[in-house]
């Protein structure tokens, strides 16, 4: 017998079973043969929030949460953030290898060619109220894209999938910029295909009267932030894209599910929540009081803690450096002082140390976005632009994985046993 097995003795029956162990996992379905009787359904695993369940095999992103390691397709995040462009990283995530010059040029061209959205989208956006949250607008318009491209439902055709992925990469910044302009009551600025991916996006958000003075340092800082957010294996929004995509819906619908998941304050919405938290702390002197309120259950320290990283999030380290470069251009964000003090105290405090709570990617990113001129409720939109290549690569990988089926978790039923319907008049 191979040593890569797990022997299980069922103390209910005294029977023993051998279950294969592969890549440090057992297959939950192998437990089904563990039964107390022939009509027993068989043993299941119970794992709310997937704390210890691998839902797929993936070759895209590697994380070691204890050591603070993050790699896309084997390349350390530090090197990609230093040297790569965002579109290069998007290609790497999608194709598995860094592009050569010709491949990169084609990839950039393909994306550039699709940056425009149908002008009906503008009518659609006009239906949103002036104070609509930009993430709500983004998930609505991305979902609506499926009606503009009904061919996107042909997900079995790799060439078709490629064109839809390109469309999403090309159009998401346009939709995001339109949502930004809508919130401000500004006329929409159309894509400029003479500009690069980042420069075009920045121009679409900030150009006034057709003019915008680009700042290369801020644009590179934004690009680095997008690279740092580009994938993070099976997080909440990526799992949403995979799960919804597993029904074989079109990718616009699947990605809008990812955007919805990202919107939440425990996920991508945390960068917005960090700024709201910093707003509640009037000065550096008030930081200890705030920390005490967190420790006594008065709320979480937003931007701290992570399901996977139990040491310093490597992205947070890189973002801190980027923050210095940005603030050298824009002047110091007064909230930075408060954030630094929060970090200093939390990293020395036993409450946070014992729970292994460290700053995550969102702790400093909001401060940078704010310094760049983006309003708080827009931060998660920027995160969505960054995360899109990851969602698309994971969607593609999921569809190509012969082991994947429509996602359908099991449950442990805790409701009432069968009982007869009571007519209304007889209910107390
Ligand atoms: N502030 C204070 N206490 C915290 C925090 C925090 N930010 N995060 C976790 N804890 C505490 C919990 O209260 C719990 O304490 P207990 O054991 O005494 O009950 C313990 O640490 C473990 O927390 P869990 O909620 O079980 O950890 P989980 O892995 O489920 O949560 C999460 C991870 C959601 C990120 C959490 O740390 C959190 O809410 N952080 C703040 C929100 C945030 O920054 N989210 C962004 C994550 S990164 C991203 O999505 C891009």
């Amino acid at each position: 017998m191979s040593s890569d097995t797990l022997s299980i003795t069922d103390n209910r029956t005294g029977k023993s079973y051998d279950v294969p162990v592969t890549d440090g996992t057992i297959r939950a379905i192998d437990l089904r043969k563990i039964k107390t009787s022939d009509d027993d359904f068989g043993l299941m695993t119970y794992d709310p929030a997937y704390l210890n369940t691998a839902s797929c095999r993936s070759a895209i992103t590697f994380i070691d949460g204890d050591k603070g390691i993050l790699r896309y397709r084997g390349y350390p995040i530090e090197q990609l953030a230093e040297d790569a462009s965002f579109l290069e990283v998007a290609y790497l995530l999608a194709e598995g290898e860094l592009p050569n010059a010709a491949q990169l040029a084609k990839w950039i061209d393909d994306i550039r060619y699709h940056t425009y959205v149908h002008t009906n989208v503008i009518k659609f956006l006009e239906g949103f109220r002036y104070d609509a949250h930009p993430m709500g607008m983004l998930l609505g318009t991305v979902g609506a894209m499926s009606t503009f491209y009904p061919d996107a439902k042909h997900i079995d055709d790799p060439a078709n999938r490629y064109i839809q992925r390109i469309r999403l990469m090309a159009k998401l910044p346009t939709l995001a910029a339109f949502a930004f302009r809508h919130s401000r009551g500004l006329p929409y600025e159309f894509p400029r295909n003479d500009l690069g991916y980042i420069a075009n996006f920045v121009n679409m958000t900030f150009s006034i009267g057709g003019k915008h003075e680009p700042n290369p340092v801020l644009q590179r800082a934004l690009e680095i932030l997008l690279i740092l957010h580009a994938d993070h294996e099976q997080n909440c929004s990526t799992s949403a894209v995979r799960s919804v995509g597993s029904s074989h819906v079109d990718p616009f619908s699947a990605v809008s599910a990812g955007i919805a998941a990202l919107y939440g304050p425990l996920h991508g919405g945390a960068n917005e929540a960090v700024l709201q938290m910093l707003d509640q702390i009037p000065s550096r002197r008030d930081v200890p009081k705030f920390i005490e309120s967190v420790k006594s259950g008065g709320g979480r320290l937003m931007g701290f803690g992570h399901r996977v990283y139990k040491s310093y999030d490597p992205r947070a380290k890189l973002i801190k450096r980027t923050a210095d470069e940005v603030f050298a251009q824009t002047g110091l964000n007064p909230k930075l002082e408060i954030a630094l003090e929060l970090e200093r105290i939390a990293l020395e405090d036993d409450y946070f140390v014992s729970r292994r709570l460290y700053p995550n990617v969102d702790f400093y990113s909001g401060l940078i976005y704010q310094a760049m001129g983006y309003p708080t409720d827009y931060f998660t939109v920027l995160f969505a632009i960054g995360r899109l290549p990851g969602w698309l690569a994971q969607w593609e990988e999921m569809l190509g994985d012969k082991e994947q089926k429509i996602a359908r978790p099991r449950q442990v039923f805790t409701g009432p046993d069968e009982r007869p319907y009571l007519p209304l008049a007889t209910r107390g």
Side-chain angles (χ1 to χ4, degrees), residues 49 51 229 232 235-237 261-262 264-271 273-274 277 291 294-295 297 299-310 313 315 351-352 354-363 383 387:
L51 290 180
H229 285 87
H232 214 233
N235 57 86
C236 178
S237 58
L262 192 69
L266 295 188
H267 189 14
N271 50 21
V274 170
M277 174 186 77
I291 294 271
V294 168
K295 285 164 59 180
R300 293 200 160 188
L301 181 51
M302 299 312 286
F304 257 68
H306 198 276
R307 173 63 60 79
V308 177
Y309 292 119
K310 300 301 171 197
D313 181 338
R315 301 168 301 171
Y351 175 95
F352 298 92
S354 64
R355 289 171 178 77
R356 305 178 73 188
L357 301 169
Y358 294 86
N360 61 48
V361 67
D362 284 324
F363 193 64
F383 190 159
R387 181 55 54 88

